[in-house]
Amino acid sequence: MNINLSPEISLITIDDLPRLIECVQRCYGESYPNPVMYDVVQLEGVIKKKLMHSVVARLDDGRIIGHCALSFDSSDNTSPEAGKMMVDPDFRGHHIAELMAKKRIEVAKELNLVGFWTECVTNHPYSQKEMISFNAIETGLFIGDVPPTLVMQDLENFQQTRMSLLTFYLPIQDHPHIIFLPSQHIEHLENLAQSLNLQRSILSPNKDGSGVTKLEATINVDIQTANISISHIGKDFNTVVKNTLNEIELSNVASIYLDLPIELEAAANAYLALEDIGFFWGSWLPNYRNHKDILRLQKIYQKVDIDTIHCARKEGELVKKYVIDEWARVSKTN
């Protein structure tokens, strides 16, 4: 091991892309769940469209030995996902992930972002500890999100159960606003907001939607997950969501995630209606879209070994307990 290793930490260039793919292959073989990371043309596309801002660790010979990114899912995504973190197994132990993460924060500030969120694996605590070191806070848990086919080289992998992801949020600035939740969830979110020093007024009105529900649904067949994004809660909310759910379930998914815009007054009642069909708390994502919060709910269709979910500190354990308790409570009534 070279104890004097000093890679260049910088934004990626188009010329780096073939070597980035080689790095992905050294870290995950062919098991990484995002196919974009194996395709030069697709990588170039998302970078040129500024949907992904990648930071890499580069050796003098041009070899890429580490990568992380800020990834936007659309032009109105104002708190992007900080993910795709990987370090070549031959070069771990040199704090490369920490150096890249620091650079990623610099990039976020240059982009004038309000903050970003990330999903940390729970088969080991290393990525969680990295986020904690930058004062990020646990905001949720996605149970069984990753298929057991994902293989991390030289790290513990669980091949008998889908892996869960612990979500963190790192605030840079804030846009205070009012959000709406069922009364039983207000205390939990107030505690999260306080820990992040984000200003939120939380109300629980008894108000239904108006007009026509607007949503988009996508299915990722490769990892057996689906996503539903709600942009407006209409009078027909329950019917539209149930019909969408029926269509998705034909694809035999392992889990479904639903983004609820909790700046809408009808969100509190909509949340209760979603619980009635098996959705439960996943993660709070502050300032996610147009500087407004969403709550990402989840519905699970498979068994998950929760004993394989490892949290780096007690705050993570408390979030884990809240989500698992909600899963158990909602499951009893469905």
Side-chain angles (χ1 to χ4, degrees), residues 132-151:
I132 291 166
S133 71
F134 293 114
N135 297 316
I137 299 295
E138 299 90 336
T139 57
L141 175 71
F142 298 134
I143 298 173
D145 184 68
V146 181
T149 51
L150 177 71
V151 177

Side-chain angles (χ1 to χ4, degrees), residues 33 108 204 278:
S204 186

